[in-house]
Amino acid sequence: MDQATHSVAEVFPHIRIVMGMVVGLGLTRLLSGIARIVQHPRGYALYPVHLAWVGMVFLMLVHFWWWEFGLYHIENWTFGKYLFLIGYSTALFLMCALLFPDSMLDYKSYEEFFISRRTWFFGLLAATFVLDVIDTLLKGEAHFAHFGYEYLLRTPIFLALCVAAIFTTSRTFHILFVSAALAYQVSWILRLFDTIA
């Protein structure tokens, strides 16, 4: 089929639907996990850091769906770009699955579970920051430049923090990391993504 016969107005919604399905699965996973905690509050000991990362990933998913509207400006869609976006969505979904596993039978608490899976979780989180750079470049040089030097500093700092989080079990570090990440993410969204451009 000749893609040239299809307008951007036809192609982008088609791609957005598939991305939306993956994002929706991630949101469902998080909400189901929270519902399970509400339904069985004494089931497993809660861990504030784990819950904070649940909030952070929820915010990341909602933000992802919001900012990807910027892809509407891409005129030449390829299967590679489509596959990249599905991969990005999948990385976000996998983070949700790592926050709320199918079974907690092998663990005594959410803290024990989270710390034991931190390599996977923070590895995927680091990957999302790299994927974000590619995603931003896909939208064009002007879009990339819009974020200025802050974006060029933000990414390597978060990557370094993710690597540190993989190697440490320090409660203090993990509390400070997720607190700073949440505060910064809220600030980032309000300052640069309050409206769809």
Side-chain angles (χ1 to χ4, degrees):
M1 182 182 289
D2 185 3
Q3 186 179 347
T5 62
H6 299 287
S7 69
V8 176
E10 294 173 315
V11 175
F12 178 61
H14 179 72
I15 292 168
R16 194 165 158 89
I17 286 169
V18 180
M19 285 186 344
M21 291 182 343
V22 180
V23 169
L25 288 171
L27 289 171
T28 300
R29 188 81 176 217
L30 292 181
L31 295 174
S32 296
I34 293 295
R36 196 164 53 244
I37 289 172
V38 172
Q39 292 166 351
H40 306 285
R42 296 181 185 151
Y44 294 94
L46 299 180
Y47 180 40
V49 169
H50 168 262
L51 291 176
W53 279 116
V54 169
M56 176 68 173
V57 173
F58 180 87
L59 188 60
M60 288 174 69
L61 281 169
V62 173
H63 184 213
F64 175 82
W65 189 242
W66 177 256
W67 90 59
E68 288 301 3
F69 190 80
L71 294 169
Y72 194 86
H73 300 294
I74 294 178
E75 294 183 6
N76 298 312
W77 281 99
T78 63
F79 185 76
K81 291 176 183 176
Y82 164 72
L83 197 60
F84 164 77
L85 291 168
I86 298 306
Y88 193 170
S89 306
T90 300
L92 291 168
F93 167 78
L94 290 174
M95 287 172 61
C96 299
L98 284 168
L99 287 170
F100 287 114
D102 292 327
S103 171
M104 287 281 291
L105 293 177
D106 296 333
Y107 305 96
K108 295 177 182 176
S109 68
Y110 280 101
E111 180 175 8
E112 183 184 343
F113 167 74
F114 184 76
I115 293 300
S116 72
R117 297 289 132 224
R118 72 185 185 281
T119 300
W120 280 97
F121 179 79
F122 290 109
L124 282 167
L125 182 62
T128 65
F129 287 106
V130 174
L131 294 170
D132 181 66
V133 172
I134 299 168
D135 179 80
T136 304
L137 287 169
L138 272 178
K139 295 176 181 126
E141 289 181 22
H143 180 77
F144 188 89
H146 168 71
F147 300 115
Y149 291 109
E150 180 181 357
Y151 189 69
L152 298 176
L153 292 172
R154 167 188 182 266
T155 302
I157 288 171
F158 269 109
L159 287 174
L161 288 169
C162 286
V163 170
I166 288 171
F167 289 102
T168 184
T169 59
S170 165
R171 283 186 169 201
T172 303
F173 175 85
H174 283 281
I175 289 168
L176 292 174
F177 183 17
V178 73
S179 299
L182 263 172
Y184 182 80
Q185 187 72 2
V186 169
S187 166
W188 179 254
I189 292 169
L190 292 178
R191 287 182 294 114
L192 297 168
F193 294 93
D194 192 43
T195 59
I196 293 180

